[in-house]
Amino acid sequence: MTDERGSTGRLGCDGFRRLGMSRRGVLRAGALTMTGLGLPELFRRRAAAQTAAKNNGFGRARSCILIFQWGGPSQLDTWDPKPDAPADIRGEFGTIETRTPGVRISEHFPLLAAQSHRLSIIRSMSHDDPAHLSTAHRLLTGHLAPTPYSDAAGPSSNDWPHLGAILAKCRPSKGVMPQAVTMPWSVAHPAAPGGRAPGQHGGWLGKGFDPFGIEGDPNAPDFQVSGLGLPEGLTAERMVDRRVLFDALRDPGGLSGRSAGAWDGFQGRALDALASSQARAAFQVEREDPKIRDRYGRHIHGQSLLLARRLVEAGVGLVTVNWHNDGLNFWDTHGDNFNNLKNRLMPPADRGFAALLEDLDARGMLDETLVVWAGEFGRTPRITKGNAGREHWPRCYSAALAGSGVAGGTVYGASDRWAAYPARDPVSPDDLGATILHALGVNPATEVHDAVGRPLQVNTGSPLLSVFA
């Protein structure tokens, strides 16, 4: 029986992976030996999976780029303007037409207005937690933080795993590239007692599932990704020797007689990545045509998005691009909201996101890459007197989706007349996480086991099936 998420059951991670529930799938050469299914049953399940992918987007995405606009962008000044509201609510910005008839967005998103035919704008994101750190955890994991409503609790081993960690667990990578990458830093807030936000690592799955972290500015002339390439004095031949030794140690009949179960495979993957020219090349954004780099914008956000495109092209499953450490409170515009938005925040966000969509489409990758633009919450409808700021507001805010079968030129949900509360179809961060997993071919109802063997459901939200064409 099909459940409300469009799934055909509650199979574990390996079960879904073996049944080929993704567009590219695993039903290729050798699949029969991997599944143990009879040929008629195998074909029946593959046909069901392909039908599901066509109908509601399940498994259509090979990769996802999650653009995390850390700090909380104002919904009224970006995706959901209210030009008929009083001046102390609508703010200073005008609106512009998009390529979607009847849909207007902020005048400071002109390039994205021209890309609206590829976007599904969500105007009914909603939850009730106004704290940065705990809501970052919720957006990045699809679960409440261990300490909700808190800016005092930093990362812990009790955190829920990052969505990329869940993907690595449920859909392990077959190549040398990591399944999840986070860049250009791990988000933190100087005004939050807890400092760094929870939910950015493997959580209770363990450090072996931490997303690969990139720290630094890809726009800098001397940008390099730490941890790639061979250390000084170590030749490729010596690396091969180390790999052979490592494989022998993993083999029950090898040099040590140790059980293969004593190794988790991450050491071997790390050795492979160090020696892989493919892996190193994917991280070298300087190899891009200068004209393409210019199109994204020669700034840290634009070049991070360009690097994200290179990584998904090389096989990374989920790349999280966090708004960078700008030293200016990110999108947290408690004061001088309008000058910060129009001069500092919106131009690079507009240029980078629009260029990413154009580039993915030109390369034939947009159909298999889900792109998600979201912050942890929105801003208050009423402008703060005296400093022209907007405060934290989780009750209603906006996000945007594109690619991987998402129906472009659409708006999902609606806010009320002041963008204060959803008027219809509220969407939680859990639902957004469920949608990401769903598109990547991971059933949100999948259960995985924590360190003490408890079965835990990877997501309890409901994927937004109707956003898929």
Side-chain angles (χ1 to χ4, degrees):
M1 180 179 295
T2 301
D3 67 15
E4 62 185 3
R5 295 177 177 83
S7 164
T8 55
R10 297 169 68 95
L11 293 169
C13 296
D14 289 341
F16 275 95
R17 180 162 49 88
R18 287 194 298 261
L19 291 180
M21 302 292 280
S22 68
R23 187 165 185 233
R24 293 171 77 88
V26 296
L27 294 173
R28 295 174 179 171
L32 285 174
T33 59
M34 186 168 61
T35 62
L37 296 173
L39 191 61
E41 176 68 4
L42 185 69
F43 286 161
R44 185 189 68 78
R45 295 191 183 191
R46 179 167 61 180
Q50 291 171 342
T51 299
K54 180 178 180 180
N55 291 342
N56 59 27
F58 184 80
R60 183 160 178 170
R62 182 172 68 97
S63 301
C64 173
I65 298 174
L66 172 58
I67 308 172
F68 180 22
Q69 304 298 65
W70 172 234
S74 165
Q75 68 278 16
L76 289 106
D77 304 313
T78 55
W79 301 105
D80 194 11
K82 300 294 182 181
D84 298 326
D88 63 342
I89 290 173
R90 73 171 181 267
E92 301 176 7
F93 296 164
T95 66
I96 53 175
E97 294 181 347
T98 68
R99 287 188 61 172
T100 305
V103 176
R104 301 181 72 88
I105 61 175
S106 170
E107 63 178 320
H108 297 294
F109 271 173
L111 299 177
L112 286 169
Q115 294 294 316
S116 71
H117 62 297
R118 297 189 171 111
L119 294 168
S120 180
I121 300 170
I122 302 174
R123 288 177 167 171
S124 55
M125 293 293 301
S126 182
H127 60 86
D128 64 354
D129 186 347
H132 284 291
L133 298 197
S134 51
T135 53
H137 178 285
R138 192 168 183 185
L139 177 73
L140 296 173
T141 70
H143 288 270
L144 285 172
T147 307
Y149 313 101
S150 174
D151 273 328
S156 81
S157 59
N158 294 322
D159 292 349
W160 278 85
H162 186 282
L163 289 166
I166 291 293
L167 181 64
K169 175 68 174 178
C170 294
R171 204 189 76 180
S173 172
K174 295 180 175 63
V176 298
M177 297 299 293
Q179 188 68 313
V181 172
T182 295
M183 70 173 85
W185 72 314
S186 295
V187 295
H189 202 298
R196 193 157 58 97
Q200 301 184 75
H201 52 86
W204 49 258
L205 276 177
K207 291 190 65 62
F209 288 94
D210 287 357
F212 183 84
I214 297 175
E215 301 277 338
D217 180 1
N219 192 47
D222 58 348
F223 172 72
Q224 288 187 338
V225 177
S226 177
L228 289 179
L230 299 177
E232 186 175 354
L234 181 62
T235 65
E237 290 76 12
R238 288 184 63 194
M239 179 60 74
V240 171
D241 290 342
R242 290 187 179 188
R243 189 66 170 94
V244 171
L245 176 62
F246 172 77
D247 286 339
L249 290 172
R250 292 181 68 230
D251 186 346
L255 298 179
S256 70
R258 291 182 60 168
S259 168
W263 297 83
D264 60 14
F266 291 105
Q267 297 96 331
R269 290 279 304 281
L271 291 174
D272 288 341
L274 283 173
S276 169
S277 59
Q278 172 199 0
R280 295 197 301 273
F283 290 89
Q284 293 171 338
V285 72
E286 68 273 14
R287 293 190 172 202
E288 286 290 333
D289 185 329
K291 292 181 180 178
I292 294 179
R293 298 193 70 179
D294 291 344
R295 189 184 309 159
Y296 278 82
R298 294 286 186 146
H299 42 69
I300 184 171
H301 185 64
Q303 298 303 297
S304 292
L305 292 175
L306 175 54
L307 180 53
R309 190 227 78 208
R310 289 181 62 84
L311 293 178
V312 299
E313 194 170 27
V316 176
L318 196 153
V319 181
T320 305
V321 177
N322 298 320
W323 189 260
H324 49 283
N325 183 8
D326 55 18
L328 297 170
N329 288 335
F330 332 107
W331 290 80
D332 197 22
T333 53
H334 290 282
D336 203 14
N337 174 74
F338 300 99
N339 282 326
N340 275 307
L341 289 176
K342 71 181 179 182
N343 296 322
R344 178 173 66 89
L345 296 163
M346 294 181 70
D350 180 50
R351 185 167 188 170
F353 190 9
L356 176 64
L357 295 177
E358 290 179 329
D359 197 8
L360 288 171
D361 184 64
R363 292 170 180 271
M365 296 171 57
L366 189 59
D367 189 52
E368 294 186 338
T369 307
L370 179 68
V371 185
V372 180
W373 190 104
E376 68 268 39
F377 45 58
R379 315 303 297 186
T380 51
R382 196 172 300 278
I383 300 164
T384 306
K385 292 182 179 180
N387 68 355
R390 294 191 192 268
E391 313 305 325
H392 299 182
W393 189 256
R395 301 289 182 176
C396 187
Y397 61 109
S398 299
L401 305 179
S404 190
V406 167
T410 61
V411 175
Y412 185 92
S415 62
D416 64 11
R417 59 180 181 153
W418 290 353
Y421 298 95
R424 68 171 185 272
D425 301 323
V427 177
S428 72
D430 313 32
D431 299 331
L432 191 61
T435 304
I436 292 172
L437 293 174
H438 173 90
L440 289 167
V442 177
N443 186 349
T446 298
E447 291 181 345
V448 298
H449 292 82
D450 66 6
V452 296
R454 294 178 302 172
L456 298 172
Q457 188 170 320
V458 298
N459 185 280
T460 56
S462 297
L464 309 179
L465 302 184
S466 63
V467 305
F468 296 98

